[in-house]
Amino acid sequence: VVQAQEKASTPPMSMRADVGGRTMPLSLGFPPGSLSGPWVATTMLGKRVGHSKLMQTWSSEALLQPIHEFDCIVIIDLEATCDEGPNPKVTQSTQEIIEFPWILVDLKAPGGPAICDRQQRYVKPVMNKTLTPFCRGLTGISQSDVDKAPELKDVIDEFAEYMRALAMQGKTCALMADGEWDFKVLLQGEAKRKNLSVPSYFRSFFDLRSVFTKSKGMQRPSLKRMLTACGLDFEGKHHHGMDDCNNVARIALALVSDGYRFRKADMTKFPESYDPMKDPFVKDFNRNSANQPHRAPFAHPDRVVRIRGLPWKATVQDVERFFTPLPLASKPQPIQLTKDSLGRPSGCGFVEFGNREAAQWAIKTCHKRYLMNRYIEVFPLAEKDEKPTPAATKENKRNGQPNASGTEKKTTASSGTTPATAREGVAENKKTAVSTSANSNGATTSASVRLRGLPWSATTEDIVKFFEPLKLANESAIQLMKNKRGRPSGLAIVEFATTEDAQQAAKEYHRKYMGKRYIEVHPI
């Protein structure tokens, strides 16, 4: 700075600039009004001293202070009609939005980012006008709330007017939701069914879970996990739209205070032509539904194989070379590689061949062949083989449901399962049978639940603490299962004192965390 002042041809001028939250004097010899902040001041100072790089004595936070690319974030959390059980009255194809709340967060408010507006709208359903008891209990929405509410088209038009009013004020806005389901599946699906026009900004939005993963590194975060990671408690009722909106806004503000900035590159997008009902990888919200057909991604299921174990960097071209010289179907996309909820490669996919014989030959000759440094598992996807496939068997076991024949059969390598998996399945079925017979002595099977995903170090005391304040049947009510080698399998059977406690455990403790792992709780 002294050298710059000595070389200056004009008399030095004393100025002050904000750097990293501190006010520092600058005597650089520049005309009045030529400095407009740390960026300009540092650049001009570097030129005067003769350095092209920024001076290390300046705070990097001040020099590279990122800015939001939007003035406001509009947070939306939609609630919809729903039901539970094997024969629900509401399915994904008939689900309708019944609550449409939003919260406006001003990112550039004078006092810092803050919530500046809250709006809540109920929506009248058309296909299933009467809310199910499960829906009323889950969302807290009463029948009278939706009976006097406008239909979805009117609410969308009202929200569009709200967004236009913000644009007239010169504010740039983007939407945010907790996950992709609300906009990509729920709203887009209902709009497709009812032929409604939806503004384009619903197809380009911030997914809080994706943003949180990028900012904090947490994989597959839930709303409660994100709140806990931010040192916040859940406020209100879960699955109540306005309460969920408020909690999403609190997490967003916490991320901003930690340095996150909203940029267009982090937005989730999908095309206008997207139809969730035609997407074979969209799962039904009610996993226990028995009347939901499997939406095969191909017109000829007997020509399709399912592949698993792909390297994450594998491409469609790699899969095509893997199955050479077998003929693929003559269609634009005979190979489909799936992704998880965060948009990352899942290691699975589907391949459609030109004929049934080619698909059968692929299963016989390509199963467990290596691609790069991983062996690939190849399974059939024909309609008759659909339920016994490993994916279906795994899903049924997760939900405590029987397989295609009505009983849980032993899986074998001939059905596409590896020998190790088959052995584990046999051991698991034997131990489940022992547990069921034990429960028959004075207690019904409905008073027990099955745990999955336990840490290997978990003890009976950990499980008792996990389910507090629910009461267990007795001291030997917990059975920790082990595999063939006598090692913990991560599975357990827990018997409660009453069936009500067991039902409460399956409903409220499912996917609750024990340490760093979430535990699946399924009724038996």
Side-chain angles (χ1 to χ4, degrees):
V1 174
V2 174
Q3 293 177 358
Q5 292 178 352
E6 291 177 352
K7 295 181 180 181
S9 58
T10 57
M13 173 184 175
S14 178
M15 300 188 67
R16 303 180 73 84
D18 292 331
V19 181
R22 297 176 297 172
T23 302
M24 299 180 62
L26 296 177
S27 297
L28 308 178
F30 297 114
S34 61
L35 296 181
S36 59
W39 260 112
V40 178
T42 306
T43 303
M44 297 179 69
L45 177 61
K47 290 181 179 179
R48 298 287 290 185
V49 178
H51 295 286
S52 60
K53 295 183 178 181
L54 302 177
M55 297 180 64
Q56 297 179 358
T57 55
W58 287 66
S59 170
S60 61
E61 293 182 0
L63 301 179
L64 301 177
Q65 185 74 22
I67 60 174
H68 298 288
E69 295 183 2
F70 298 93
D71 298 322
C72 302
I73 296 294
V74 182
I75 297 170
I76 300 177
D77 189 271
L78 304 174
E79 300 298 334
T81 54
C82 52
D83 199 8
E84 64 176 349
N87 295 295
K89 295 181 180 179
V90 179
T91 64
Q92 183 183 326
S93 60
T94 60
Q95 197 175 24
E96 296 176 281
I97 296 171
I98 55 176
E99 186 181 7
F100 195 122
W102 67 87
I103 287 180
L104 180 65
V105 177
D106 191 344
L107 298 174
K108 300 181 180 180
I115 297 175
C116 59
D117 190 23
R118 303 171 189 265
Q119 300 287 334
Q120 184 181 31
R121 301 291 184 272
Y122 291 113
V123 185
K124 179 187 295 184
V126 177
M127 301 180 68
N128 294 283
K129 297 183 178 181
T130 302
L131 303 182
T132 63
F134 174 77
C135 180
R136 295 196 301 270
L138 182 69
T139 64
I141 300 175
S142 66
Q143 186 66 45
S144 60
D145 291 332
V146 298
D147 286 342
K148 58 186 178 182
E151 294 185 5
L152 180 60
K153 179 182 181 302
D154 300 325
V155 176
I156 292 177
D157 292 341
E158 183 180 357
F159 181 77
E161 287 293 333
Y162 184 89
M163 295 293 286
R164 278 193 289 269
L166 292 175
M168 292 293 291
Q169 300 174 17
K171 295 183 179 294
T172 56
C173 301
L175 304 188
M176 170 176 270
D178 177 24
E180 297 182 353
W181 180 272
D182 287 27
F183 296 156
K184 190 174 181 180
V185 178
L186 187 57
L187 180 60
Q188 182 76 357
E190 186 171 352
K192 287 285 185 181
R193 294 194 303 270
K194 298 181 178 180
N195 197 25
L196 302 178
S197 177
V198 177
S200 59
Y201 43 71
F202 282 103
R203 296 187 291 274
S204 180
F205 60 96
F206 286 101
D207 176 0
L208 176 64
R209 302 189 184 194
S210 178
V211 168
F212 199 90
T213 297
K214 180 177 181 180
S215 178
K216 299 292 186 180
M218 179 184 292
Q219 299 299 321
R220 301 182 182 276
S222 65
L223 188 59
K224 293 184 178 180
R225 283 190 68 198
M226 290 185 284
L227 286 167
T228 302
C230 295
L232 303 172
D233 295 326
F234 192 93
E235 293 183 355
K237 176 181 173 60
H238 192 26
H239 293 301
H240 185 278
M242 180 53 74
D243 290 343
D244 286 347
C245 270
N246 182 63
N247 286 303
V248 171
R250 294 168 64 214
I251 296 172
L253 292 174
L255 292 178
V256 170
S257 66
D258 290 342
Y260 179 78
R261 297 297 180 262
F262 287 94
R263 297 170 180 263
K264 296 178 180 178
D266 296 341
M267 300 182 77
T268 298
K269 301 178 180 179
F270 63 92
E272 184 178 3
S273 59
Y274 174 78
D275 187 350
M277 294 307 299
K278 297 180 180 179
D279 188 342
F281 312 119
V282 174
K283 295 182 179 179
D284 197 320
F285 67 90
N286 182 6
R287 293 185 177 183
N288 292 325
S289 175
N291 60 359
Q292 294 304 301
H294 177 77
R295 294 188 299 277
F298 302 94
H300 304 283
D302 59 336
R303 304 179 186 177
V304 179
V305 299
R306 179 174 180 267
I307 54 178
R308 183 173 65 187
L310 292 170
W312 288 351
K313 61 180 179 180
T315 63
V316 171
Q317 291 74 21
D318 295 328
V319 177
E320 184 176 357
R321 285 192 294 268
F322 177 79
F323 286 108
T324 301
L326 298 177
L328 300 182
S330 57
K331 57 185 300 185
Q333 293 181 338
I335 300 174
Q336 295 187 17
L337 304 183
T338 65
K339 295 183 179 181
D340 61 15
S341 59
L342 298 178
R344 303 169 304 182
S346 66
C348 299
F350 297 90
V351 181
E352 182 177 5
F353 291 91
N355 51 65
R356 182 180 180 182
E357 291 72 20
Q360 293 176 345
W361 187 256
I363 296 171
K364 293 179 180 179
T365 61
C366 298
H367 181 59
K368 289 200 170 184
R369 273 181 52 192
Y370 274 78
L371 174 62
M372 300 180 188
N373 60 341
R374 295 178 62 90
Y375 71 81
I376 310 302
E377 296 177 291
V378 184
F379 307 114
L381 193 68
E383 198 69 32
K384 62 181 180 181
D385 296 328
E386 205 167 290
K387 291 184 179 179
T389 58
T393 303
K394 183 177 180 181
E395 187 69 21
N396 289 340
K397 285 186 177 181
R398 181 182 298 119
N399 294 326
Q401 296 176 351
N403 59 14
S405 62
T407 59
E408 288 195 10
K409 294 183 179 179
K410 300 178 183 180
T411 56
T412 63
S414 62
S415 65
T417 308
T418 63
T421 305
R423 288 195 297 270
E424 292 176 2
V426 171
E428 182 179 330
N429 290 337
K430 286 182 178 179
K431 291 169 182 175
T432 302
V434 172
S435 174
T436 304
S437 63
N439 291 336
S440 63
N441 296 326
T444 61
T445 55
S446 59
S448 301
V449 297
R450 178 172 176 266
L451 307 186
R452 181 181 179 186
L454 290 170
W456 289 349
S457 60
T459 62
T460 55
E461 290 78 10
D462 295 330
I463 296 177
V464 171
K465 186 177 180 180
F466 176 79
F467 282 113
E468 287 180 349
L470 301 181
K471 295 182 179 180
L472 304 185
N474 48 56
E475 295 181 356
S476 60
I478 300 175
Q479 299 183 29
L480 292 172
M481 298 183 182
K482 295 184 179 181
N483 58 21
K484 285 281 188 180
R485 298 182 180 180
R487 298 174 180 174
S489 64
L491 304 174
I493 300 294
V494 180
E495 182 181 352
F496 290 90
T498 64
T499 57
E500 290 76 13
D501 286 344
Q503 293 172 357
Q504 183 178 355
K507 181 178 295 185
E508 298 182 5
Y509 289 79
H510 182 58
R511 291 184 176 267
K512 180 181 176 182
Y513 274 77
M514 178 185 293
K516 295 183 179 180
R517 295 179 62 87
Y518 69 80
I519 310 302
E520 297 181 11
V521 183
H522 301 290
I524 296 179

